[in-house]
Amino acid sequence: SSPITNIDFRGIEFTQSTWLFPSTNGGLCVNQNEAYWNGDGNGIVHMNGVVQLKNVDNVNFYNCKFSKLGKTSLKLTNGVQNCNIIGNEFCDLSAGALSVGGVTDLERNPENTSLAVKNVRVENNFIHNIAEDIKSCAAVSAGFPIDTRIGNNEIYNTGYSGIHTGWGWDSTEPS
């Protein structure tokens, strides 16, 4: 009911994790940008993050390194507000580097505004050699964040796209 607040991660290296779903489920059928068929007959699901933030306020990552990770490195969804992702390096990744805001109808137009992802800064990051195994992942994915700035990032050697925004073109929900 209350967000976790006021935490800074500075100069920490997040490294060496895997994602066993493809190995234990007979492979991976990907859709687009972190979405995959999980084989349960319920359609597509979205990849979780190695580091995943939900319901936080003012949780920041400065000058950290994310490397050798098996799925999306850092994911911010459901009530992430007033956070900074600044000066980090994301490299040698199986999937995407960073995902800001989810893409479900709840996340694109939350009835409870405390669930909105807003006021996030993604700046001055060095993102390279990502999506090496899961080619459909973007370097930076932004679902439906509010008042978010993505700027001055150096991005190269990606499998899909540098920055991917929006989702759900067939939905009538406002965003």
Side-chain angles (χ1 to χ4, degrees), residues 42-56:
N42 292 322
I44 61 171
V45 293
H46 296 272
M47 187 180 298
N48 289 326
V50 173
V51 176
Q52 185 152 334
L53 301 182
K54 293 182 179 182
N55 194 26
V56 302

Side-chain angles (χ1 to χ4, degrees), residues 12-27:
I12 296 174
E13 184 171 1
F14 300 89
T15 189
Q16 303 292 330
S17 80
T18 190
W19 186 44
L20 296 177
F21 180 89
S23 307
T24 58
N25 290 281

Side-chain angles (χ1 to χ4, degrees), residues 13-170:
E13 184 171 1
F14 300 89
T15 189
Q16 303 292 330
S17 80
T18 190
W19 186 44
L20 296 177
F21 180 89
S23 307
T24 58
N25 290 281
L28 183 65
C29 181
V30 296
N31 188 333
Q32 180 184 22
N33 197 37
E34 300 180 351
Y36 64 96
W37 295 91
N38 69 356
D40 68 0
N42 292 322
I44 61 171
V45 293
H46 296 272
M47 187 180 298
N48 289 326
V50 173
V51 176
Q52 185 152 334
L53 301 182
K54 293 182 179 182
N55 194 26
V56 302
D57 187 359
N58 193 34
V59 174
N60 308 295
F61 292 82
Y62 300 108
N63 303 315
C64 294
K65 183 174 183 178
F66 296 80
S67 68
K68 297 175 181 61
L69 303 173
K71 57 184 177 177
T72 299
S73 298
L74 179 58
K75 192 159 188 171
L76 294 75
T77 61
N78 297 337
V80 171
Q81 301 181 3
N82 307 309
C83 296
N84 297 299
I85 314 302
I86 298 176
N88 303 285
E89 181 179 12
F90 296 85
C91 63
D92 194 16
L93 304 174
S94 290
L98 174 63
S99 182
V100 181
V103 296
T104 67
D105 282 342
L106 172 66
E107 293 159 317
R108 85 188 275 136
N109 187 22
E111 292 177 14
N112 179 350
T113 57
S114 69
L115 293 178
V117 173
K118 66 181 181 180
N119 196 26
V120 176
R121 291 176 52 213
V122 178
E123 298 176 336
N124 301 316
N125 296 289
F126 182 35
I127 304 170
H128 61 97
N129 298 68
I130 62 103
E132 293 186 352
D133 295 311
I134 305 167
K135 302 289 186 193
S136 66
C137 292
V140 178
S141 175
F144 296 97
I146 300 165
D147 297 329
T148 292
R149 176 177 162 76
I150 301 170
N152 300 320
N153 299 287
E154 183 174 342
I155 300 172
Y156 69 90
N157 285 353
T158 68
Y160 177 52
S161 61
I163 300 172
H164 181 98
T165 62
W167 187 280
W169 300 274
D170 62 345

